[in-house]
């Protein structure tokens, strides 16, 4: 039988139990998470822009006759 815990959430970064009013167990974890999301967003943006460029190149090369 699991022990009954008071209302709580888990740190969004490391998963440790934190009180229900908080999202992170510490400021370090919050900064870690923000930095990670920012890097992820940047990677997504690069991927997105890269695929648009590839698509444009494909369209240009398939329509333009040299
Ligand atoms: Zn944490």
């Amino acid at each position: 039988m699991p022990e009954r815990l008071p209302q709580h959430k888990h740190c969004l970064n490391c998963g440790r139990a934190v009180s229900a009013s908080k999202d992170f167990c510490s400021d370090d974890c919050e900064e870690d998470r923000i930095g990670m999301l920012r890097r992820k967003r940047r990677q997504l943006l690069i991927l997105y822009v890269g695929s648009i460029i590839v698509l444009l190149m494909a369209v240009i090369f398939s329509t333009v006759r040299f």
Side-chain angles (χ1 to χ4, degrees):
M1 200 68 177
E3 205 181 324
R4 256 185 86 97
L5 287 167
Q7 196 73 336
H8 74 284
K9 292 198 293 199
H10 291 274
C11 173
L12 292 177
N13 188 53
C14 71
R16 240 179 293 183
V18 292
S19 68
S21 58
K22 287 195 213 160
D23 286 329
F24 301 96
C25 66
S26 66
D27 290 346
D28 280 352
C29 261
E30 187 164 3
E31 274 163 33
D32 257 28
R33 178 73 170 189
I34 289 166
M36 201 260 282
L37 287 178
R38 201 167 289 161
R39 275 198 301 278
K40 222 175 198 174
R41 195 176 300 169
R42 235 173 71 121
Q43 281 173 355
L44 266 177
L45 191 74
I46 289 167
L47 203 72
Y48 184 66
V49 171
S51 55
I52 286 175
I53 289 169
V54 168
L55 202 71
L56 277 177
M57 298 271 271
V59 169
I60 288 166
F61 280 118
S62 65
T63 53
V64 174
R65 296 275 175 265
F66 293 103

